[in-house]
Amino acid sequence: MESMKKILVTGAKGQIGSELVPLLRKKYGHENVIATDIKDEEEGDAPYEILDVRDGKKLAGVVDRYGIDTIFHMAAILSATGEKNPQLAWDVNVGGLYNVLEVGREKSLFRIFIPSSIAAFGPETPKVNTPQDTVLKPRTMYGITKVIGERLGEYYFWKYNLDVRGVRYPGIISSKTLPGGGTTDYAVEIFYEALRKKRYTSFLKPQTRLPMMYMPDCLKATLMLMEAPLENLKHHTDFNVAGMSFSVEELALEIKKRIPEFEIDYEPDYRQAIADSWPESIDDSAARQEWGWSPDYDLPSMVDDMLEKLRIKLGL
Ligand code: NAD
Ligand code: SER
């Protein structure tokens, strides 16, 4: 059976890429996973290339040089940064994605992963248990680029037989690398501040409830989908995946149960409008049916693990 042999990861230094790369290297071989990013951060003897995904020619050169057959395309500008600089978000998220799909088409790559997001939804989408196939009218440039990514990936699948896959990640919570400028970043920042200062000022209101997922489940979903038999898939680039859903005050309460001195206050900013346009919870039955998805972490088990990992990381 054909499988992923030489893997390229774009945006490898980001929140997800920095944990995906070691996992892929463990599974597929150290030298078979080529990490790339715009960041100039060599990785010892591990294959690493500085690569701006807007440079399609350089991307094609790297794919040729290493004999790449699979790409995990993680480079992007996230929602909050994207609202500050929509033109950059368009260039990187649409231009970069187009280059990745084109290199996939030209070189007949085996498989490509392009993540979408809960940001693909908008205020007209049903907010609770958001269906798989529903209204996609995002109000952010980031969300618009994600819908374009879903549709373009699907187009390459039908038009060129390119095996493009993707999930709509919820907000990802993790302890290794800080998130890169999203609206769900509060759910990571809060842990650092709770441990260091015993207080946190949230940029979202207390009742704001969003779909979230712990990093081990994010990596599990990514690999499960990429390793699923193609014939089982009815969807390709736009799978809803759920982990947990909670409001800011529910997360704060869960932290307070473990750090009783912890206090939170609220100063909502421009990110509140972004969060208000997104769902509260997600129906992921298509992912469950088509490739057997189920998450391992809920809110209490995620909070326990985050605090344990961050206490070690911060030397507390
Ligand atoms: P991140 O912001 O942490 O990392 C993105 C990486 O891309 C960074 O290392 C950055 O240096 C790199 N990058 C930026 N511009 C680039 C360019 N022009 N060329 C090459 N690299 C560039 O993002 P992440 O959280 O790791 O997200 C990875 C993917 O998952 C993105 O597509 C994102 O939209 C999606 N996603 C993430 C979340 C989340 O909560 N983290 C949720 C939904 C979807
Ligand atoms: N976590 C991401 C963001 O907030 C969702 O795609 O931008």
Side-chain angles (χ1 to χ4, degrees):
M1 200 183 75
E2 218 184 341
S3 70
M4 302 181 258
K5 292 188 189 74
K6 277 277 178 191
I7 299 171
L8 182 138
V9 181
T10 70
K13 294 291 180 185
Q15 186 191 8
I16 300 175
S18 64
E19 299 209 38
L20 178 66
V21 167
L23 184 67
L24 289 172
R25 285 191 172 142
K26 205 167 151 202
K27 200 153 185 205
Y28 291 96
H30 185 73
E31 64 293 345
N32 293 326
V33 180
I34 291 64
T36 72
D37 202 293
I38 40 170
K39 291 177 187 159
D40 185 1
E41 293 172 16
E42 291 292 329
E43 298 193 314
D45 66 339
Y48 184 75
E49 296 281 339
I50 297 170
L51 175 66
D52 187 324
V53 291
R54 290 170 293 182
D55 185 345
K57 215 168 148 200
K58 181 158 185 193
L59 171 64
V62 173
V63 165
D64 277 342
R65 186 144 40 89
Y66 288 94
I68 297 297
D69 58 47
T70 302
I71 299 179
F72 288 77
H73 176 46
M74 310 309 281
I77 304 298
L78 275 74
S79 61
T81 311
E83 283 317 281
K84 287 193 171 149
N85 194 342
Q87 292 72 24
L88 177 69
W90 175 270
D91 278 354
V92 174
N93 297 5
V94 178
L97 182 98
Y98 179 73
N99 288 337
V100 166
L101 293 175
E102 271 296 282
V103 89
R105 178 186 69 80
E106 282 168 2
K107 302 189 184 298
S108 303
L109 297 193
F110 168 62
R111 202 162 278 172
I112 295 181
F113 183 79
I114 51 164
S116 183
S117 161
I118 52 163
F121 303 118
E124 286 102 336
T125 308
K127 254 186 158 4
V128 177
N129 220 14
T130 299
Q132 171 66 45
D133 299 309
T134 186
V135 183
L136 297 177
K137 290 186 178 179
R139 294 270 175 95
T140 60
M141 178 58 91
Y142 174 67
I144 289 165
T145 67
K146 287 298 172 187
V147 175
I148 291 171
E150 291 180 7
R151 299 328 315 150
L152 205 57
E154 199 81 23
Y155 180 82
Y156 274 68
F157 176 77
W158 293 112
K159 178 94 176 167
Y160 300 116
N161 263 326
L162 185 62
D163 189 354
V164 187
R165 304 179 179 196
V167 297
R168 293 172 177 146
Y169 287 136
I172 305 300
I173 299 164
S174 67
S175 54
K176 183 174 176 183
T177 304
L178 283 168
T183 303
T184 56
D185 293 15
Y186 94 83
V188 177
E189 289 171 5
I190 192 171
F191 286 96
Y192 284 83
E193 300 294 290
L195 284 166
R196 282 178 178 143
K197 299 185 189 149
K198 314 286 180 232
R199 62 174 309 113
Y200 178 64
T201 301
S202 169
F203 58 76
L204 297 181
K205 291 179 189 166
Q207 289 87 14
T208 306
R209 179 183 301 278
L210 290 168
M212 299 278 185
M213 180 176 276
Y214 196 34
M215 183 61 88
D217 280 331
C218 167
L219 300 175
K220 177 180 163 181
T222 306
L223 284 200
M224 276 186 83
L225 175 59
M226 282 298 270
E227 290 169 352
L230 179 60
E231 60 272 19
N232 292 358
L233 305 183
K234 293 189 189 72
H235 298 82
H236 298 273
T237 55
D238 57 4
F239 282 101
N240 282 1
V241 282
M244 59 193 92
S245 283
F246 52 77
S247 66
V248 184
E249 62 185 358
E250 285 166 351
L251 175 57
L253 195 66
E254 208 61 41
I255 292 173
K256 202 173 165 61
K257 282 186 201 164
R258 293 153 179 85
I259 306 175
E261 319 90 278
F262 177 61
E263 296 296 337
I264 186 163
D265 58 7
Y266 300 90
E267 286 177 19
D269 65 16
Y270 70 101
R271 289 168 282 193
Q272 184 65 48
I274 303 177
D276 288 343
S277 74
W278 291 353
E280 292 184 359
S281 59
I282 296 289
D283 172 6
D284 60 3
S285 45
R288 287 172 184 265
Q289 281 157 20
E290 293 177 41
W291 43 278
W293 166 245
S294 70
D296 293 328
Y297 283 85
D298 59 8
L299 175 58
S301 55
M302 177 275 286
V303 172
D304 281 338
D305 202 58
M306 273 295 280
L307 289 174
E308 191 187 321
K309 295 250 160 54
L310 282 180
R311 280 198 175 101
I312 296 168
K313 181 177 176 179
L314 302 174
L316 299 168

